[in-house]
Amino acid sequence: MIATAATAGPASTVVAGMVFCDQCKDGARGLFDYPLYGARVAIQCGGGDTPLTVRESNTNWFGGFSIRMEGSPDMNRCTARVVQGTGHCGAATAGAPHELTLAFRMLGLALYTVPPLLSQPEEAMDFCPGHDRRRPAAPWSAAPAPSQLPAPAPPLPPFWRRRRLPPIWRKPPTLPQEQPEPPQVQVLPPPPPPPPAPPAQAQGSACTYEQWASPEQRCHWRVVTPNTTVAMAFGPLAAQRYGSELTLREALEGRGDMYRTLLREATAALLNAYYNAPGGPFLYPTTASVIDHMNGALLSSAQRVLIEGARFRRANAGGGGAAGRTRLQCDFTPCAAPPPAAGR
């Protein structure tokens, strides 16, 4: 269906990528960075100090953007950059541009990708490594306002008008008395400190696609819902492969085709990444890593699709993570039963 539409329709060019909030202002995507929604991305061509802006687009809920242009223009000298951020991660100046890379060109469609774009806040967050939490002292030149100065004290009366205070009578000094020497107390050395406790291992969870597809476990879905589309969850590459109407609930039922199997296991891995804490023992510590491996498989050969699908399936079964030989278990707790309907 896709190949027939691409052959019959005119040629088109698509530029796809993602925007992240660089909360620590280190210039690279890290553990504390998250996809930025509503950021403004511009495609500029021509180079020089004043490049020409060709197209602009806003990112979706998952930080992705996809810009489509008619025809097959030469995008070798074009770049993509963030021109406007959102929230506390809105940079005062435009972000650094990144060059476009041609992913493939076939059947009248040319796809260009761009490395992850970053938008930075005015200052790094307090939880970032190496952040100085001490506030700078006020400059010496900052003088208080005249209204904040204390009122001057009233002048003292002349010396001959001052009242004399009565004399202070003090007790005569007493001779020091000899006190008995205190008994000698033997000071024992302090006991050695106890050995440090072994660090607690991070707890993780890994559940298969059958467990995620069960209606009794719908309360464990986080961030996304069963009605969320695959295009919204994985980005424009998945939308071109699977369409814009396929939901995550339908993706968990896919079988019989290697691309549907890849989508089924990738959806379960995405749900596991949302369910686990960032940096846990699950093989894919963040949702961005699941999306990167999914897009890499869609842009590669059929062998890569099979390998990534098997790797997703192994991670969902609890293996291949940072926990070593210990396999992760699915720690689903029973969901609360809905209240019974009131009788008429």
Side-chain angles (χ1 to χ4, degrees):
M1 182 68 67
I2 298 177
T4 305
T7 305
S12 60
T13 301
V14 177
V15 179
M18 296 188 67
V19 178
F20 291 85
C21 177
D22 187 10
Q23 298 194 98
C24 296
K25 300 189 69 173
D26 53 3
R29 192 180 65 179
L31 179 62
F32 300 101
D33 302 338
Y34 62 89
L36 188 60
Y37 163 70
R40 193 70 175 173
V41 180
I43 304 300
Q44 299 176 343
C45 300
D49 297 334
T50 57
L52 177 63
T53 300
V54 180
R55 289 287 191 279
E56 290 187 357
S57 177
N58 293 338
T59 57
N60 56 21
W61 284 101
F62 300 94
F65 66 92
S66 177
I67 301 177
R68 188 181 186 90
M69 294 172 287
E70 300 298 333
S72 300
D74 186 8
M75 309 293 289
N76 293 328
R77 298 184 58 188
C78 298
T79 59
R81 68 189 308 173
V82 179
V83 295
Q84 183 180 359
T86 57
H88 78 282
C89 206
T93 58
H98 289 270
E99 296 182 354
L100 306 182
T101 302
L102 179 62
F104 65 85
R105 185 190 301 273
M106 64 176 59
L107 301 177
L109 174 64
L111 176 62
Y112 289 83
T113 59
V114 62
L117 303 177
L118 302 178
S119 181
Q120 298 178 345
E122 295 293 340
E123 296 181 0
M125 298 292 102
D126 296 340
F127 50 78
C128 293
H131 178 73
D132 190 4
R133 295 175 175 84
R134 298 174 299 177
R135 294 184 177 179
W140 292 101
S141 60
S147 60
Q148 299 178 356
L149 294 176
L156 294 176
F159 179 74
W160 57 83
R161 294 185 181 178
R162 298 179 188 176
R163 297 180 180 181
R164 293 186 179 182
L165 299 176
I168 300 176
W169 299 100
R170 299 178 180 177
K171 295 181 180 181
T174 57
L175 297 178
Q177 299 180 0
E178 295 183 0
Q179 298 180 358
E181 297 181 358
Q184 299 292 334
V185 179
Q186 185 179 2
V187 180
L188 299 177
Q201 296 183 355
Q203 301 295 329
S205 173
C207 303
T208 61
Y209 73 93
E210 295 96 340
Q211 294 168 319
W212 283 111
S214 175
E216 291 79 8
Q217 308 299 340
R218 295 293 167 81
C219 66
H220 298 290
W221 287 56
R222 297 179 180 178
V223 180
V224 294
T225 64
N227 294 329
T228 301
T229 61
V230 173
M232 290 292 295
F234 290 96
L237 290 180
Q240 294 178 5
R241 167 62 64 176
Y242 303 103
S244 59
E245 303 296 332
L246 187 68
T247 62
L248 296 182
R249 181 185 67 254
E250 297 170 346
L252 292 175
E253 301 173 357
R255 56 178 53 87
D257 176 71
M258 63 178 179
Y259 285 97
R260 291 300 301 271
T261 302
L262 172 67
L263 178 61
R264 181 191 66 197
E265 300 298 335
T267 302
L270 184 69
L271 296 175
N272 286 321
Y274 276 125
Y275 187 76
N276 287 274
F282 187 62
L283 179 61
Y284 301 91
T286 61
T287 57
S289 60
V290 177
I291 297 175
D292 289 345
H293 283 80
M294 177 67 173
N295 292 335
L298 293 178
L299 293 175
S300 300
S301 60
Q303 183 179 5
R304 175 72 181 278
V305 171
L306 295 175
I307 293 176
E308 289 296 339
R311 197 163 181 256
F312 282 136
R313 183 178 182 85
R314 179 187 178 191
N316 297 330
R325 299 180 179 179
T326 304
R327 299 183 65 86
L328 299 180
Q329 303 296 328
C330 185
D331 64 348
F332 281 164
T333 56
C335 296
R344 296 183 180 179

mmCIF file of all heavy atoms in Angstrom, residues 2 14-18 59-60 62-68 104 109 111-114 229-244 291 294-295 298-299:
data_model
loop_
_atom_site.group_PDB
_atom_site.id
_atom_site.type_symbol
_atom_site.label_atom_id
_atom_site.label_comp_id
_atom_site.label_asym_id
_atom_site.label_seq_id
_atom_site.Cartn_x
_atom_site.Cartn_y
_atom_site.Cartn_z
ATOM 1 N N ILE A 2 1.907 1.277 0.814
ATOM 2 C CA ILE A 2 2.808 2.439 0.866
ATOM 3 C C ILE A 2 3.581 2.590 -0.421
ATOM 4 O O ILE A 2 3.769 3.680 -0.953
ATOM 5 C CB ILE A 2 3.738 2.317 2.075
ATOM 6 C CG1 ILE A 2 2.919 2.320 3.362
ATOM 7 C CG2 ILE A 2 4.757 3.428 2.094
ATOM 8 C CD1 ILE A 2 3.740 2.138 4.604
ATOM 9 N N VAL A 14 11.083 14.578 3.390
ATOM 10 C CA VAL A 14 10.693 14.621 4.798
ATOM 11 C C VAL A 14 11.958 14.796 5.640
ATOM 12 O O VAL A 14 12.964 14.112 5.418
ATOM 13 C CB VAL A 14 9.939 13.340 5.220
ATOM 14 C CG1 VAL A 14 9.608 13.379 6.705
ATOM 15 C CG2 VAL A 14 8.670 13.190 4.400
ATOM 16 N N VAL A 15 11.901 15.724 6.614
ATOM 17 C CA VAL A 15 12.981 15.945 7.584
ATOM 18 C C VAL A 15 12.412 15.607 8.956
ATOM 19 O O VAL A 15 11.394 16.178 9.372
ATOM 20 C CB VAL A 15 13.495 17.394 7.557
ATOM 21 C CG1 VAL A 15 14.595 17.590 8.591
ATOM 22 C CG2 VAL A 15 14.007 17.751 6.169
ATOM 23 N N ALA A 16 13.039 14.657 9.684
ATOM 24 C CA ALA A 16 12.533 14.176 10.971
ATOM 25 C C ALA A 16 13.634 14.255 12.011
ATOM 26 O O ALA A 16 14.821 14.118 11.706
ATOM 27 C CB ALA A 16 12.000 12.745 10.851
ATOM 28 N N GLY A 17 13.243 14.454 13.258
ATOM 29 C CA GLY A 17 14.187 14.505 14.369
ATOM 30 C C GLY A 17 13.452 14.697 15.680
ATOM 31 O O GLY A 17 12.228 14.649 15.753
ATOM 32 N N MET A 18 14.227 14.933 16.769
ATOM 33 C CA MET A 18 13.677 15.117 18.106
ATOM 34 C C MET A 18 14.395 16.269 18.791
ATOM 35 O O MET A 18 15.545 16.584 18.455
ATOM 36 C CB MET A 18 13.814 13.838 18.953
ATOM 37 C CG MET A 18 13.029 12.644 18.438
ATOM 38 S SD MET A 18 13.058 11.252 19.592
ATOM 39 C CE MET A 18 12.106 11.933 20.955
ATOM 40 N N THR A 59 7.282 20.678 17.835
ATOM 41 C CA THR A 59 7.417 19.280 18.247
ATOM 42 C C THR A 59 6.121 18.798 18.891
ATOM 43 O O THR A 59 5.343 19.570 19.436
ATOM 44 C CB THR A 59 8.577 19.133 19.246
ATOM 45 O OG1 THR A 59 8.352 20.011 20.374
ATOM 46 C CG2 THR A 59 9.886 19.512 18.596
ATOM 47 N N ASN A 60 5.909 17.451 18.837
ATOM 48 C CA ASN A 60 4.720 16.860 19.420
ATOM 49 C C ASN A 60 4.941 16.566 20.898
ATOM 50 O O ASN A 60 5.924 16.982 21.491
ATOM 51 C CB ASN A 60 4.328 15.586 18.650
ATOM 52 C CG ASN A 60 5.478 14.586 18.593
ATOM 53 O OD1 ASN A 60 6.411 14.626 19.394
ATOM 54 N ND2 ASN A 60 5.422 13.675 17.646
ATOM 55 N N PHE A 62 5.919 14.004 22.348
ATOM 56 C CA PHE A 62 7.098 13.189 22.620
ATOM 57 C C PHE A 62 8.367 13.840 22.081
ATOM 58 O O PHE A 62 9.395 13.170 21.910
ATOM 59 C CB PHE A 62 6.917 11.788 22.021
ATOM 60 C CG PHE A 62 5.735 11.062 22.571
ATOM 61 C CD1 PHE A 62 4.516 11.108 21.919
ATOM 62 C CD2 PHE A 62 5.820 10.370 23.762
ATOM 63 C CE1 PHE A 62 3.409 10.456 22.432
ATOM 64 C CE2 PHE A 62 4.723 9.714 24.280
ATOM 65 C CZ PHE A 62 3.513 9.754 23.623
ATOM 66 N N GLY A 63 8.355 15.124 21.796
ATOM 67 C CA GLY A 63 9.540 15.849 21.366
ATOM 68 C C GLY A 63 9.937 15.638 19.922
ATOM 69 O O GLY A 63 10.988 16.123 19.510
ATOM 70 N N GLY A 64 9.152 14.946 19.129
ATOM 71 C CA GLY A 64 9.502 14.687 17.737
ATOM 72 C C GLY A 64 8.875 15.695 16.784
ATOM 73 O O GLY A 64 7.852 16.305 17.081
ATOM 74 N N PHE A 65 9.521 15.879 15.646
ATOM 75 C CA PHE A 65 8.984 16.744 14.609
ATOM 76 C C PHE A 65 9.212 16.097 13.242
ATOM 77 O O PHE A 65 10.152 15.325 13.052
ATOM 78 C CB PHE A 65 9.639 18.138 14.641
ATOM 79 C CG PHE A 65 11.112 18.139 14.303
ATOM 80 C CD1 PHE A 65 11.554 18.328 13.006
ATOM 81 C CD2 PHE A 65 12.058 17.952 15.295
ATOM 82 C CE1 PHE A 65 12.896 18.341 12.705
ATOM 83 C CE2 PHE A 65 13.412 17.964 15.006
ATOM 84 C CZ PHE A 65 13.832 18.153 13.698
ATOM 85 N N SER A 66 8.336 16.403 12.307
ATOM 86 C CA SER A 66 8.416 15.878 10.944
ATOM 87 C C SER A 66 7.946 16.973 9.998
ATOM 88 O O SER A 66 6.806 17.426 10.092
ATOM 89 C CB SER A 66 7.561 14.619 10.792
ATOM 90 O OG SER A 66 7.593 14.158 9.451
ATOM 91 N N ILE A 67 8.851 17.405 9.127
ATOM 92 C CA ILE A 67 8.557 18.490 8.186
ATOM 93 C C ILE A 67 8.562 17.890 6.769
ATOM 94 O O ILE A 67 9.550 17.287 6.349
ATOM 95 C CB ILE A 67 9.604 19.609 8.308
ATOM 96 C CG1 ILE A 67 9.603 20.171 9.745
ATOM 97 C CG2 ILE A 67 9.336 20.715 7.308
ATOM 98 C CD1 ILE A 67 10.649 21.211 9.977
ATOM 99 N N ARG A 68 7.456 18.059 6.046
ATOM 100 C CA ARG A 68 7.295 17.489 4.707
ATOM 101 C C ARG A 68 7.293 18.609 3.677
ATOM 102 O O ARG A 68 6.645 19.640 3.880
ATOM 103 C CB ARG A 68 5.997 16.693 4.621
ATOM 104 C CG ARG A 68 5.830 15.898 3.333
ATOM 105 C CD ARG A 68 4.506 15.172 3.325
ATOM 106 N NE ARG A 68 4.386 14.289 2.180
ATOM 107 C CZ ARG A 68 4.757 13.025 2.155
ATOM 108 N NH1 ARG A 68 5.270 12.492 3.248
ATOM 109 N NH2 ARG A 68 4.626 12.284 1.071
ATOM 110 N N PHE A 104 17.533 7.746 3.390
ATOM 111 C CA PHE A 104 17.317 6.926 2.195
ATOM 112 C C PHE A 104 16.534 7.762 1.196
ATOM 113 O O PHE A 104 15.914 8.773 1.538
ATOM 114 C CB PHE A 104 16.570 5.624 2.526
ATOM 115 C CG PHE A 104 15.162 5.839 3.015
ATOM 116 C CD1 PHE A 104 14.097 5.998 2.142
ATOM 117 C CD2 PHE A 104 14.901 5.876 4.375
ATOM 118 C CE1 PHE A 104 12.814 6.188 2.598
ATOM 119 C CE2 PHE A 104 13.610 6.070 4.846
ATOM 120 C CZ PHE A 104 12.572 6.235 3.946
ATOM 121 N N LEU A 109 10.460 9.293 -2.489
ATOM 122 C CA LEU A 109 10.489 9.819 -1.124
ATOM 123 C C LEU A 109 11.930 9.902 -0.649
ATOM 124 O O LEU A 109 12.664 8.915 -0.718
ATOM 125 C CB LEU A 109 9.675 8.928 -0.181
ATOM 126 C CG LEU A 109 9.737 9.299 1.295
ATOM 127 C CD1 LEU A 109 9.121 10.684 1.529
ATOM 128 C CD2 LEU A 109 9.046 8.251 2.151
ATOM 129 N N LEU A 111 14.159 10.864 2.762
ATOM 130 C CA LEU A 111 14.066 11.078 4.213
ATOM 131 C C LEU A 111 15.406 11.571 4.736
ATOM 132 O O LEU A 111 16.429 10.921 4.543
ATOM 133 C CB LEU A 111 13.665 9.782 4.924
ATOM 134 C CG LEU A 111 13.642 9.859 6.446
ATOM 135 C CD1 LEU A 111 12.606 10.875 6.919
ATOM 136 C CD2 LEU A 111 13.377 8.496 7.063
ATOM 137 N N TYR A 112 15.391 12.738 5.379
ATOM 138 C CA TYR A 112 16.570 13.313 6.021
ATOM 139 C C TYR A 112 16.362 13.285 7.535
ATOM 140 O O TYR A 112 15.273 13.599 8.038
ATOM 141 C CB TYR A 112 16.809 14.763 5.575
ATOM 142 C CG TYR A 112 17.286 14.901 4.153
ATOM 143 C CD1 TYR A 112 16.386 14.901 3.093
ATOM 144 C CD2 TYR A 112 18.647 15.036 3.868
ATOM 145 C CE1 TYR A 112 16.814 15.029 1.779
ATOM 146 C CE2 TYR A 112 19.082 15.169 2.562
ATOM 147 C CZ TYR A 112 18.170 15.170 1.522
ATOM 148 O OH TYR A 112 18.613 15.308 0.235
ATOM 149 N N THR A 113 17.409 12.901 8.257
ATOM 150 C CA THR A 113 17.367 12.893 9.718
ATOM 151 C C THR A 113 18.389 13.878 10.255
ATOM 152 O O THR A 113 19.319 14.276 9.548
ATOM 153 C CB THR A 113 17.656 11.483 10.270
ATOM 154 O OG1 THR A 113 18.955 11.047 9.818
ATOM 155 C CG2 THR A 113 16.599 10.497 9.809
ATOM 156 N N VAL A 114 18.210 14.252 11.515
ATOM 157 C CA VAL A 114 19.090 15.212 12.171
ATOM 158 C C VAL A 114 19.387 14.700 13.577
ATOM 159 O O VAL A 114 18.525 14.066 14.197
ATOM 160 C CB VAL A 114 18.426 16.609 12.223
ATOM 161 C CG1 VAL A 114 17.148 16.587 13.022
ATOM 162 C CG2 VAL A 114 19.370 17.639 12.792
ATOM 163 N N THR A 229 -1.700 6.425 19.738
ATOM 164 C CA THR A 229 -1.282 5.896 18.440
ATOM 165 C C THR A 229 0.210 5.598 18.412
ATOM 166 O O THR A 229 0.997 6.188 19.169
ATOM 167 C CB THR A 229 -1.625 6.896 17.322
ATOM 168 O OG1 THR A 229 -0.910 8.127 17.566
ATOM 169 C CG2 THR A 229 -3.109 7.178 17.283
ATOM 170 N N VAL A 230 0.582 4.678 17.543
ATOM 171 C CA VAL A 230 1.997 4.334 17.368
ATOM 172 C C VAL A 230 2.771 5.535 16.831
ATOM 173 O O VAL A 230 3.929 5.748 17.180
ATOM 174 C CB VAL A 230 2.119 3.116 16.432
ATOM 175 C CG1 VAL A 230 3.567 2.829 16.095
ATOM 176 C CG2 VAL A 230 1.468 1.889 17.065
ATOM 177 N N ALA A 231 2.135 6.341 15.997
ATOM 178 C CA ALA A 231 2.809 7.524 15.455
ATOM 179 C C ALA A 231 3.173 8.506 16.557
ATOM 180 O O ALA A 231 4.252 9.109 16.535
ATOM 181 C CB ALA A 231 1.920 8.198 14.414
ATOM 182 N N MET A 232 2.307 8.695 17.549
ATOM 183 C CA MET A 232 2.601 9.601 18.653
ATOM 184 C C MET A 232 3.660 9.027 19.577
ATOM 185 O O MET A 232 4.459 9.757 20.149
ATOM 186 C CB MET A 232 1.324 9.880 19.448
ATOM 187 C CG MET A 232 0.306 10.736 18.715
ATOM 188 S SD MET A 232 0.874 12.440 18.488
ATOM 189 C CE MET A 232 0.955 12.981 20.188
ATOM 190 N N ALA A 233 3.694 7.711 19.756
ATOM 191 C CA ALA A 233 4.628 7.096 20.704
ATOM 192 C C ALA A 233 6.029 6.945 20.129
ATOM 193 O O ALA A 233 7.013 7.136 20.844
ATOM 194 C CB ALA A 233 4.091 5.730 21.146
ATOM 195 N N PHE A 234 6.167 6.597 18.832
ATOM 196 C CA PHE A 234 7.468 6.284 18.263
ATOM 197 C C PHE A 234 7.948 7.303 17.239
ATOM 198 O O PHE A 234 9.099 7.250 16.838
ATOM 199 C CB PHE A 234 7.444 4.890 17.624
ATOM 200 C CG PHE A 234 7.354 3.768 18.618
ATOM 201 C CD1 PHE A 234 6.136 3.194 18.936
ATOM 202 C CD2 PHE A 234 8.488 3.299 19.259
ATOM 203 C CE1 PHE A 234 6.043 2.167 19.857
ATOM 204 C CE2 PHE A 234 8.406 2.267 20.181
ATOM 205 C CZ PHE A 234 7.186 1.702 20.485
ATOM 206 N N GLY A 235 7.109 8.191 16.728
ATOM 207 C CA GLY A 235 7.594 9.230 15.832
ATOM 208 C C GLY A 235 7.223 9.004 14.380
ATOM 209 O O GLY A 235 6.471 8.078 14.009
ATOM 210 N N PRO A 236 7.767 9.856 13.485
ATOM 211 C CA PRO A 236 7.337 9.831 12.076
ATOM 212 C C PRO A 236 7.761 8.581 11.328
ATOM 213 O O PRO A 236 7.065 8.159 10.414
ATOM 214 C CB PRO A 236 8.004 11.085 11.499
ATOM 215 C CG PRO A 236 9.145 11.393 12.415
ATOM 216 C CD PRO A 236 8.702 10.956 13.770
ATOM 217 N N LEU A 237 8.914 7.972 11.660
ATOM 218 C CA LEU A 237 9.328 6.766 10.939
ATOM 219 C C LEU A 237 8.341 5.622 11.160
ATOM 220 O O LEU A 237 7.984 4.899 10.227
ATOM 221 C CB LEU A 237 10.734 6.358 11.384
ATOM 222 C CG LEU A 237 11.878 7.268 10.939
ATOM 223 C CD1 LEU A 237 13.200 6.748 11.455
ATOM 224 C CD2 LEU A 237 11.911 7.372 9.421
ATOM 225 N N ALA A 238 7.889 5.466 12.418
ATOM 226 C CA ALA A 238 6.897 4.436 12.690
ATOM 227 C C ALA A 238 5.565 4.764 12.027
ATOM 228 O O ALA A 238 4.834 3.860 11.595
ATOM 229 C CB ALA A 238 6.712 4.279 14.192
ATOM 230 N N ALA A 239 5.229 6.044 11.910
ATOM 231 C CA ALA A 239 3.982 6.425 11.241
ATOM 232 C C ALA A 239 4.014 6.056 9.764
ATOM 233 O O ALA A 239 3.000 5.633 9.198
ATOM 234 C CB ALA A 239 3.733 7.923 11.420
ATOM 235 N N GLN A 240 5.163 6.213 9.104
ATOM 236 C CA GLN A 240 5.266 5.842 7.690
ATOM 237 C C GLN A 240 5.193 4.339 7.483
ATOM 238 O O GLN A 240 4.706 3.864 6.460
ATOM 239 C CB GLN A 240 6.576 6.381 7.111
ATOM 240 C CG GLN A 240 6.649 7.903 7.063
ATOM 241 C CD GLN A 240 7.968 8.402 6.538
ATOM 242 O OE1 GLN A 240 8.813 7.615 6.112
ATOM 243 N NE2 GLN A 240 8.164 9.701 6.575
ATOM 244 N N ARG A 241 5.666 3.562 8.444
ATOM 245 C CA ARG A 241 5.646 2.108 8.312
ATOM 246 C C ARG A 241 4.287 1.528 8.704
ATOM 247 O O ARG A 241 3.748 0.646 8.017
ATOM 248 C CB ARG A 241 6.757 1.498 9.179
ATOM 249 C CG ARG A 241 6.665 -0.012 9.398
ATOM 250 C CD ARG A 241 6.768 -0.809 8.117
ATOM 251 N NE ARG A 241 8.062 -0.648 7.459
ATOM 252 C CZ ARG A 241 8.413 -1.309 6.359
ATOM 253 N NH1 ARG A 241 7.544 -2.161 5.790
ATOM 254 N NH2 ARG A 241 9.594 -1.103 5.795
ATOM 255 N N TYR A 242 3.694 1.997 9.821
ATOM 256 C CA TYR A 242 2.501 1.368 10.367
ATOM 257 C C TYR A 242 1.237 2.222 10.218
ATOM 258 O O TYR A 242 0.169 1.798 10.659
ATOM 259 C CB TYR A 242 2.711 1.054 11.858
ATOM 260 C CG TYR A 242 3.912 0.185 12.116
ATOM 261 C CD1 TYR A 242 5.093 0.730 12.616
ATOM 262 C CD2 TYR A 242 3.891 -1.184 11.855
ATOM 263 C CE1 TYR A 242 6.216 -0.054 12.860
ATOM 264 C CE2 TYR A 242 4.996 -1.980 12.096
ATOM 265 C CZ TYR A 242 6.168 -1.410 12.594
ATOM 266 O OH TYR A 242 7.258 -2.183 12.822
ATOM 267 N N GLY A 243 1.343 3.413 9.665
ATOM 268 C CA GLY A 243 0.166 4.257 9.517
ATOM 269 C C GLY A 243 -0.052 5.136 10.738
ATOM 270 O O GLY A 243 0.600 4.968 11.778
ATOM 271 N N SER A 244 -0.986 6.063 10.609
ATOM 272 C CA SER A 244 -1.239 7.028 11.680
ATOM 273 C C SER A 244 -2.418 6.662 12.556
ATOM 274 O O SER A 244 -2.713 7.390 13.508
ATOM 275 C CB SER A 244 -1.485 8.423 11.071
ATOM 276 O OG SER A 244 -2.605 8.383 10.189
ATOM 277 N N ILE A 291 13.101 4.145 21.648
ATOM 278 C CA ILE A 291 12.732 4.785 20.377
ATOM 279 C C ILE A 291 13.912 4.806 19.419
ATOM 280 O O ILE A 291 13.756 4.590 18.206
ATOM 281 C CB ILE A 291 12.208 6.203 20.663
ATOM 282 C CG1 ILE A 291 10.934 6.135 21.506
ATOM 283 C CG2 ILE A 291 11.929 6.952 19.363
ATOM 284 C CD1 ILE A 291 10.412 7.483 21.949
ATOM 285 N N MET A 294 14.326 1.354 17.943
ATOM 286 C CA MET A 294 13.216 1.085 17.030
ATOM 287 C C MET A 294 13.433 1.800 15.696
ATOM 288 O O MET A 294 13.297 1.194 14.620
ATOM 289 C CB MET A 294 11.917 1.570 17.691
ATOM 290 C CG MET A 294 10.686 1.422 16.819
ATOM 291 S SD MET A 294 10.249 -0.303 16.518
ATOM 292 C CE MET A 294 8.677 -0.083 15.674
ATOM 293 N N ASN A 295 13.803 3.078 15.722
ATOM 294 C CA ASN A 295 14.048 3.818 14.481
ATOM 295 C C ASN A 295 15.263 3.271 13.732
ATOM 296 O O ASN A 295 15.281 3.228 12.497
ATOM 297 C CB ASN A 295 14.251 5.300 14.786
ATOM 298 C CG ASN A 295 12.976 5.959 15.276
ATOM 299 O OD1 ASN A 295 11.881 5.497 14.975
ATOM 300 N ND2 ASN A 295 13.099 7.034 16.029
ATOM 301 N N LEU A 298 14.085 0.264 11.801
ATOM 302 C CA LEU A 298 13.246 0.599 10.648
ATOM 303 C C LEU A 298 14.058 1.157 9.490
ATOM 304 O O LEU A 298 13.653 1.052 8.332
ATOM 305 C CB LEU A 298 12.172 1.618 11.066
ATOM 306 C CG LEU A 298 11.108 1.108 12.047
ATOM 307 C CD1 LEU A 298 10.144 2.222 12.415
ATOM 308 C CD2 LEU A 298 10.348 -0.076 11.471
ATOM 309 N N LEU A 299 15.211 1.774 9.781
ATOM 310 C CA LEU A 299 16.053 2.333 8.728
ATOM 311 C C LEU A 299 17.096 1.340 8.212
ATOM 312 O O LEU A 299 17.870 1.698 7.320
ATOM 313 C CB LEU A 299 16.767 3.591 9.247
ATOM 314 C CG LEU A 299 15.876 4.801 9.551
ATOM 315 C CD1 LEU A 299 16.685 5.914 10.173
ATOM 316 C CD2 LEU A 299 15.186 5.289 8.290
#
